[in-house]
Amino acid sequence: MKKENKKEKMREIRDEILSLKNSPLYKYRLENKYHPVIGQGSHDADILFIGEAPGENEAKTGIPFCGASGKFLDELLLHIGLPREEVYIANILKDRPPQNRDPHPAEIEIYAPFLLRQIEIIKPKVIATLGRFAMEYIMNKFGLTESITKITDMHGKVYEAKGPGGTVKIVALFHPAVAIYNAGNKTELKKDFEVLKSLI
Ligand code: URA
């Protein structure tokens, strides 16, 4: 797909989300003057990171992972020498759930098709999920339901599936928000980023 076409398709996604009145989170977005968080980065990225949902900082700015977890994500990218502009960062939900509560299944149903369209556009070689929600959604979607176990057993392993651009490698990672406060997870996450680096 040409660069311009990719841009246009991403714009369509943004416009549809901006007027997503059937979402239970739409009213909450307007009431708080929040922005939807569509995603950020290269439309030709080899690695697509998928988080859960925007937090408050993200909803205020429209930028994914720009708060405390984002800072740590930046540190991890720096650790493997990968500029943030070269990857793509998105979430399953594009609007912030109140008090950062877990996404409801009905919300995932509304927002996930946008993420799938982003995957179709970017055709990443590697999908790196951040946290349990993204991991479960992606593993199920890519026919890997039977490989789902505890994140403590799965993290850093490479799963292969059929993606829109051929084989896609899926790597489940701890969510940086959890790892910030857990030294063990932090070390593991750093090692798992080295795995990511080895895949591109
Ligand atoms: N946590 C997420 O899952 N996504 C963000 O964009 C920020 C924090």
Side-chain angles (χ1 to χ4, degrees), residues 4-159:
E4 254 326 294
N5 290 354
K6 287 190 173 200
K7 224 173 171 177
E8 184 54 37
K9 284 188 179 296
M10 283 292 191
R11 263 194 225 118
E12 283 168 17
I13 291 173
R14 181 201 61 198
D15 291 345
E16 285 174 48
I17 295 171
L18 275 169
S19 54
L20 198 63
K21 296 197 178 71
N22 68 337
S23 164
L25 302 175
Y26 179 80
K27 213 169 130 237
Y28 182 62
R29 181 212 297 168
L30 291 197
E31 282 167 0
N32 289 282
K33 297 195 169 64
Y34 284 156
H35 299 278
V37 180
I38 315 297
Q40 186 190 47
S42 165
H43 297 164
D44 298 314
D46 284 335
I47 304 186
L48 168 66
F49 288 93
I50 304 175
E52 182 175 313
E56 192 178 18
N57 290 301
E58 289 77 20
K60 279 184 171 163
T61 57
I63 299 168
F65 284 93
C66 68
S69 348
K71 248 198 194 141
F72 184 37
L73 181 59
D74 288 344
E75 209 180 298
L76 291 160
L77 288 169
L78 194 68
H79 175 64
I80 55 167
L82 198 58
R84 187 169 163 132
E85 315 81 69
E86 283 182 21
V87 303
Y88 196 87
I89 305 173
N91 285 298
I92 302 187
L93 298 199
K94 310 301 192 189
D95 280 302
R96 182 188 181 214
Q99 277 76 53
N100 300 345
R101 63 153 169 74
D102 287 349
H104 291 163
E107 292 163 354
I108 295 180
E109 208 171 297
I110 288 178
Y111 287 98
F114 295 110
L115 174 68
L116 295 177
R117 281 162 63 186
Q118 290 176 310
I119 295 174
E120 284 277 341
I121 296 167
I122 299 167
K123 297 186 179 32
K125 287 188 190 146
V126 181
I127 295 178
T129 59
L130 300 165
R132 184 151 192 104
F133 271 92
M135 178 275 280
E136 282 191 352
Y137 178 77
I138 290 296
M139 293 291 281
N140 283 323
K141 205 69 210 174
F142 283 85
L144 294 165
T145 306
E146 286 179 4
S147 302
I148 299 177
T149 55
K150 287 182 291 189
I151 188 94
T152 40
D153 293 332
M154 287 177 70
H155 76 90
K157 289 188 184 146
V158 183
Y159 299 87

